[in-house]
Amino acid sequence: MTKVKGRQHFFRDLLLTLAVTLAVMVLQWRQSPWLKRLEGIAYDLKLVHFTPPRPDSPANIQIVDIDEKSLHEIGRWPWPRKQLAALVERLTAYGAIVISFDMIFSEPQQNPVTLIRPYLAGDDQALQSRLDQIRPRVDDDSRFAARIAENDVVLACLFQHDKTLAQGQIIDPKVQQLPTAGQHELHHFSGFNASIAALNAVAQGQGFINAILDVDGIIRKAALLSEYRGKLYPSLALETFRVYSFADTIAPVWHREAGQLFLSGIQLGNDVLATDNRGQLLIPYKGPVKSYPYSSASDVIHQRIEDQRFDGAVVFVGTSSVGMADLRSTPVSLVYPGIEIHANVFDALTQPQHQVVQPHWWLGANMLQLLICAMLLTVLLLEIPPALMALSAGMIFILCALFNIGLWYHAGIHLPVVPVLLLVAALSLLAIAQGFYRENVQRRQVKAIFDQYVPPAHIDSLLEQSGSDAMAGERKELTVLFADIRDFTRLSENLSANELKKLLNAYLSPVTEQIFQHQGTIDKYVGDMVMAFWGAPLNDKHHGQHALDAAFAMLRVTETLSAEFAAKGWPKINIGIGINSGEMNVGDMGSSFRRAYTVLGDAVNLGSRLEGLTKYYGLNLLVSEFTRAAAPRYFYQIIDKVRVKGKEHAITIYRPFPPDSDPGTVNQLEAFNRVFSLYREQAFAQALTALDEIVRVYDDKILHDIYRQRLEHFLKHPPGENWDGAYTHTSK
């Protein structure tokens, strides 16, 4: 009987081991998203800690950065193209041999003559003729094109999946096209944004700048080729290398399996750079940010460069400015300028013999590793005591990791390591799995998710609901709040990274506390912006009232913080808040890679637009007519009737005042409400007189200039009978 039981345990353990092995192999075969995320972490560790030193690039790679300094000295983006023309002219004079722009000039720049001609007398033929003579000389696009023609310049394009997008011009690629119309695994696109034809006509090349994100949002690979409407197009880095190397065409290397084409590499002169089946290479990041020499664009334009850094250089022009949104997450830095990614890829193209590759046979090799490890661990699990089994499993775990690192470091071969390590860990820890853990997973998940969004006192109430009820999506009446620090980019320029972190923490903590104290739910932080909502996950029939209570508490806290910041030598802060109420979709949303408890819908977008409008009206708090209806206890001053960007129907927006406001404040807001009523009735002269009386009596000029300009305009140009009193905002 003992032998029978022993055999039963043997076969049970063997089957369980085989089942776990098969499960890991299936995960490897199907490329499970969470397995990819773990593999991404392992890859980042290998890249940062175990990559052998690369020799210096044979090319002189330089980066010209449109940084915060350049924006401060020359002006906000987009710059007049005469500045870009000057940039190209200076780089050419400094000796740059190839200039590559990581930006798109998809619309022509208006000629000043075109702008002023409508304001000049049409019958003055001499003046009109003179303007026609001046027009070519002040055409910045022509000036920019002329400078581009004087050097080898590569421009960028951005492919899209929307086939209706075709902005600018796509030029014919210098790539050997597919040998047949067979299927392949390259990225496919059906739309594009590119520079205007006048610039492309004189450029030496054009390359796409699409980023390839892994499931965790990290950029580890770069696509060198992509397909657009049946043709193959090069990336910006690859096209820059083609121009740099004087190659006439780019030659993909194909192989065919089971009637399907697979890309195995790209021939660069006498060398072949290996890629995966999708035409991607692993980006060999040279190091952290600024591993390549940076120069400020304003220093180049103003001729402050006194050395020979650009002599014979390949120059990539891009931006590291926070406001221009070209900062990416990479294995070496979570805030990495996109332009330096192109420089790294170009560097790899100049040294294909030093590139780490993932060979096309990687999947078979990994499956073989899994089988070997499974057989070895099966023997250990069945034949040796548990303590010795744990020691042996740990040794195998370390040996597998060292073998993988050795292939990476010495042979330049990247193989996924997580599936093998996962199998070793799973088989060695199988005996100590605990059933109670599975039973309590849902409760812990709900607590882990919601304790960062809602007040701690609400967690127990949420846990009393089933997990599915707490997380389920639904549509309900809610109130959403957006709050943003004014002129944050300017304020942050004078702070170090550590000071900026401390300032944000000092601001966000008490503001969040006020939201929690007034029963709000934190949706997210985006830099200095806070988004919160009321009415979910717990029902709140007074969600509008509580949102306004929180908003005024936030304003009071901000005023106190601003004084404290000034005492520390930090800049004073001021915030703008927009609030809207309405039907919204709320629930645990996202992808299988990343999820969040959040709200979506037009009502949410309107709340964001209102926050943006606080800058226009010079106010720190604006609410919609829907929030006014949801919070009737407050006093309200009518600010405007507007159509915001993306909305057809006009809404009335208000400035709220607390219920305990003094009589003078109430009289003041009622006086302006009367002005707005006259404005809506097209009694513009009376409205203007009443507006001036408000300023004379109450010394309130917040809206005086805006409405004086409108009223004086309508006195001269009446809007007509069908005017509904709404003002259309064309920006967010």
Side-chain angles (χ1 to χ4, degrees):
M1 180 68 75
T2 302
K3 291 183 178 179
V4 172
K5 288 185 177 181
R7 285 196 297 270
Q8 289 177 343
H9 287 304
F10 174 84
F11 286 112
R12 184 195 64 189
D13 293 343
L14 180 61
L15 289 174
L16 193 55
T17 300
L18 291 175
V20 171
T21 303
L22 182 61
V24 174
M25 294 179 74
V26 170
L27 289 173
Q28 172 76 89
W29 179 268
R30 300 191 63 176
Q31 293 292 286
S32 167
W34 65 267
L35 198 64
K36 284 185 176 181
R37 298 184 73 165
L38 291 175
E39 189 60 52
I41 296 173
Y43 175 89
D44 296 346
L45 291 173
K46 288 196 296 184
L47 180 70
V48 173
H49 298 290
F50 300 107
T51 297
R54 290 173 61 87
D56 291 337
S57 174
N60 177 13
I61 302 173
Q62 298 283 333
I63 295 175
V64 170
D65 187 15
I66 300 175
D67 52 9
E68 298 291 349
K69 172 185 175 182
S70 299
L71 296 177
H72 176 73
E73 292 186 359
I74 297 178
R76 66 177 185 176
W77 190 262
W79 287 349
R81 288 186 186 152
K82 65 181 180 181
Q83 299 289 357
L84 297 170
L87 179 64
V88 174
E89 182 179 16
R90 302 288 183 267
L91 289 173
T92 301
Y94 282 135
I97 58 174
V98 180
I99 303 171
S100 186
F101 279 93
D102 180 22
M103 55 192 64
I104 298 171
F105 312 103
S106 57
E107 295 180 354
Q109 180 175 310
Q110 282 194 297
N111 192 297
V113 171
T114 304
L115 295 175
I116 66 172
R117 192 187 292 273
Y119 301 97
L120 302 175
D123 56 353
D124 189 340
Q125 296 301 320
L127 178 58
Q128 297 297 336
S129 176
R130 179 60 177 157
L131 289 175
D132 290 336
Q133 295 175 2
I134 294 174
R135 181 185 179 92
R137 294 193 304 220
V138 295
D139 190 331
D140 281 2
D141 281 342
S142 298
R143 186 183 306 180
F144 189 25
R147 299 291 81 78
I148 289 175
E150 295 172 355
N151 205 327
D152 288 341
V153 175
V154 180
L155 298 179
C157 68
L158 181 68
F159 285 130
Q160 308 283 355
H161 290 290
D162 185 351
K163 63 182 180 182
T164 63
L165 290 178
Q167 191 170 15
Q169 180 197 44
I170 287 288
I171 62 178
D172 286 336
K174 301 293 180 62
V175 179
Q176 291 182 8
Q177 297 303 314
L178 289 168
T180 69
Q183 293 183 340
H184 58 77
E185 295 189 1
L186 300 184
H187 297 277
H188 297 259
F189 297 96
S190 55
F192 70 87
N193 292 91
S195 296
I196 59 176
L199 302 180
N200 282 325
V202 293
Q204 289 298 311
Q206 183 185 69
F208 63 82
I209 55 174
N210 297 72
I212 305 300
L213 303 181
D214 280 354
V215 293
D216 54 1
I218 305 296
I219 298 178
R220 300 182 178 91
K221 297 179 180 179
L224 297 181
L225 292 174
S226 291
E227 183 198 12
Y228 169 69
R229 296 193 175 181
K231 285 187 177 182
L232 301 182
Y233 289 81
S235 69
L236 184 70
L238 180 58
E239 182 68 358
T240 301
F241 180 80
R242 183 193 69 79
V243 174
Y244 168 76
S245 60
F246 302 105
D248 293 328
T249 59
I250 296 166
V253 180
W254 299 94
H255 69 277
R256 184 181 294 275
E257 293 181 12
Q260 186 170 359
L261 286 174
F262 293 95
L263 188 69
S264 59
I266 296 174
Q267 187 164 356
L268 307 170
N270 296 324
D271 296 317
V272 174
L273 180 71
T275 67
D276 63 14
N277 294 336
R278 308 202 72 186
Q280 302 171 148
L281 61 75
L282 297 168
I283 303 174
Y285 288 99
K286 188 176 182 180
V289 178
K290 296 192 176 180
S291 293
Y292 294 93
Y294 273 66
S295 300
S296 176
S298 62
D299 287 343
V300 176
I301 292 172
H302 294 146
Q303 304 183 62
R304 301 190 190 115
I305 306 298
E306 298 180 354
D307 53 32
Q308 303 299 313
R309 71 185 70 174
F310 293 117
D311 189 18
V314 176
V315 180
F316 289 88
V317 181
T319 179
S320 66
S321 171
V322 175
M324 292 174 67
D326 192 30
L327 299 176
R328 308 288 185 168
S329 295
T330 68
V332 294
S333 175
L334 293 179
V335 182
Y336 197 88
I339 187 62
E340 194 165 351
I341 295 177
H342 298 300
N344 277 280
V345 177
F346 176 85
D347 197 356
L349 296 174
T350 65
Q351 307 178 79
Q353 68 277 16
H354 296 291
Q355 177 65 16
V356 175
V357 299
Q358 185 175 34
H360 65 275
W361 43 262
W362 71 268
L363 184 58
N366 256 42
M367 292 297 183
L368 181 60
Q369 286 188 82
L370 290 174
L371 287 174
I372 293 173
C373 288
M375 289 189 292
L376 184 58
L377 284 168
T378 298
V379 173
L380 292 176
L381 284 170
L382 297 177
E383 300 295 334
I384 61 177
L388 187 57
M389 180 274 296
L391 178 61
S392 300
M395 292 178 61
I396 294 176
F397 188 96
I398 294 173
L399 287 174
C400 289
L402 291 177
F403 175 72
N404 188 276
I405 293 171
L407 284 178
W408 169 281
Y409 191 91
H410 296 290
I413 295 175
H414 166 61
L415 293 179
V417 69
V418 169
V420 177
L421 301 183
L422 177 64
L423 179 65
V424 174
L427 293 179
S428 62
L429 297 174
L430 190 60
I432 59 173
Q434 298 294 327
F436 75 89
Y437 175 80
R438 292 189 296 270
E439 295 173 0
N440 292 303
V441 161
Q442 191 175 70
R443 185 179 181 90
R444 290 200 303 271
Q445 284 178 336
V446 171
K447 181 173 177 58
I449 290 174
F450 281 104
D451 64 3
Q452 59 184 316
Y453 298 120
V454 300
H458 290 181
I459 298 296
D460 292 336
S461 298
L462 285 172
L463 291 175
E464 291 175 2
Q465 306 177 28
S466 68
S468 58
D469 290 338
M471 306 287 287
E474 59 181 325
R475 187 170 181 84
K476 60 189 302 188
E477 190 83 14
L478 305 173
T479 295
V480 66
L481 175 149
F482 289 82
D484 190 57
I485 298 178
R486 290 287 168 261
D487 296 323
F488 182 73
T489 300
R490 179 183 59 79
L491 296 177
S492 63
E493 289 177 351
N494 298 321
L495 297 175
S496 67
N498 191 46
E499 289 176 328
L500 183 61
K501 181 196 74 172
K502 290 180 179 179
L503 183 146
L504 278 177
N505 290 343
Y507 162 73
L508 291 174
S509 295
V511 165
T512 301
E513 181 180 4
Q514 293 303 318
I515 292 173
F516 282 175
Q517 286 183 0
H518 293 90
Q519 305 179 34
T521 299
I522 294 293
D523 188 297
K524 62 176 67 73
Y525 305 107
V526 181
D528 60 309
M529 188 274 287
V530 180
M531 176 181 172
F533 55 91
W534 280 258
L538 295 180
N539 293 327
D540 180 5
K541 64 180 181 179
H542 301 299
H543 51 83
Q545 179 69 42
H546 293 150
L548 275 174
D549 293 343
F552 279 100
M554 291 166 65
L555 292 173
R556 290 192 295 270
V557 165
T558 302
E559 184 176 356
T560 301
L561 287 173
S562 189
E564 295 174 1
F565 289 177
K568 295 180 179 180
W570 293 350
K572 294 184 178 180
I573 61 172
N574 187 27
I575 64 173
I577 301 176
I579 302 177
N580 183 45
S581 304
E583 281 196 345
M584 306 172 194
N585 295 308
V586 60
D588 181 40
M589 303 180 192
S591 66
S592 56
F593 314 133
R594 183 172 297 173
R595 306 182 67 84
Y597 188 75
T598 186
V599 289
L600 297 173
D602 286 343
V604 179
N605 298 334
L606 179 55
S608 176
R609 300 290 189 273
L610 292 179
E611 183 274 318
L613 290 181
T614 57
K615 304 174 187 176
Y616 176 82
Y617 293 101
L619 303 175
N620 53 21
L621 176 57
L622 283 176
V623 304
S624 70
E625 61 189 62
F626 312 111
T627 300
R628 179 180 183 273
R633 290 182 55 241
Y634 278 79
F635 293 104
Y636 294 90
Q637 175 183 346
I638 300 176
I639 299 302
D640 210 350
K641 183 177 182 181
V642 299
R643 288 187 186 87
V644 297
K645 185 175 178 64
K647 301 284 288 184
E648 290 184 9
H649 301 293
I651 62 163
T652 304
I653 58 176
Y654 296 85
R655 176 189 185 187
F657 288 85
D660 58 351
S661 297
D662 60 84
T665 300
V666 175
N667 291 337
Q668 179 179 349
L669 69 90
E670 288 179 350
F672 187 84
N673 289 347
R674 287 192 293 272
V675 170
F676 189 83
S677 178
L678 293 169
Y679 169 79
R680 285 282 307 277
E681 295 168 3
Q682 301 194 34
F684 301 123
Q686 295 172 263
L688 187 58
T689 300
L691 181 67
D692 290 338
E693 181 66 14
I694 291 176
V695 176
R696 186 183 67 79
V697 175
Y698 297 109
D699 194 28
D700 182 3
K701 294 187 177 181
I702 292 177
L703 299 173
H704 178 268
D705 292 340
I706 293 175
Y707 276 92
R708 168 170 283 280
Q709 183 178 0
R710 289 192 199 174
L711 292 169
E712 289 176 348
H713 173 77
F714 285 139
L715 283 171
K716 298 177 181 178
H717 309 283
E721 296 180 356
N722 296 326
W723 182 63
D724 62 356
Y727 179 77
T728 300
H729 287 273
T730 57
S731 60
K732 296 182 179 180

